[in-house]
Amino acid sequence: MSAFPTEDMEMTRLLVVSDVAASRQWYEEVLGAHVDHEYESACVLRILGGWLLLVPGGPPTEDKPTVTMAPPTDPDRVSAELIFRVRDCRSAYETLRQRGARFLTPPLDRGYEIRAFFRDPDGHLFEISELVA
């Protein structure tokens, strides 16, 4: 029996998007991700030492017979988000905003952290967060 997880394992975050090419461009231009490789209709990106897999929606398959893959239908109902811990939230906010990120609000100082939220073209939620010492 093998251990789980092991040090040689990696984790990939999968996002279902409505247009893989448009999303790839957004992730490259706004977040600075790099295309690692593309196959069929999907795209694998590298960002901050991790993997991000962009895939189109689709019907159930033999190995997931009850699962339909679909991009978010309501961006105000969220079950997951990706968080970037940054050293300077206000600076990251300005950089991302200049690159085309659309934030819900400017950074908010909550006392213990400064944070701001934005979405990708399909409505997936992202957060930039700075810990306040």
Side-chain angles (χ1 to χ4, degrees):
M1 182 191 235
S2 65
F4 186 93
T6 60
E7 290 183 23
D8 62 335
M9 295 174 76
E10 294 178 324
M11 189 169 80
T12 299
R13 174 75 173 146
L14 180 145
L15 294 177
V16 181
V17 298
S18 58
D19 183 331
V20 172
S23 291
R24 181 192 68 231
Q25 181 178 355
W26 186 89
Y27 280 87
E28 287 180 300
E29 292 177 2
V30 175
L31 296 185
H34 300 280
V35 175
D36 185 78
H37 63 277
E38 297 179 86
Y39 60 97
E40 296 177 19
S41 59
C43 178
V44 179
L45 301 170
R46 289 289 279 174
I47 183 167
L48 295 174
W51 302 93
L52 187 59
L53 174 60
L54 305 178
V55 301
T61 58
E62 290 180 18
D63 55 346
K64 50 180 183 25
T66 62
V67 178
T68 298
M69 303 289 275
T73 57
D74 180 353
D76 290 328
R77 294 183 60 87
V78 176
S79 63
E81 73 173 86
L82 295 175
I83 302 168
F84 298 104
R85 180 72 68 202
V86 297
R87 291 178 190 238
D88 183 339
C89 189
R90 290 177 181 93
S91 177
Y93 167 83
E94 287 302 328
T95 297
L96 291 168
R97 200 171 62 75
Q98 289 173 9
R99 291 181 186 171
R102 294 186 185 146
F103 282 84
L104 280 65
T105 67
L108 177 65
D109 188 337
R110 301 182 52 85
Y112 58 93
E113 74 176 337
I114 301 168
R115 66 185 190 189
F117 296 86
F118 62 102
R119 294 187 177 115
D120 77 357
D122 283 293
H124 295 105
L125 190 63
F126 291 84
E127 174 185 342
I128 51 174
S129 173
E130 171 191 347
L131 287 178
V132 176

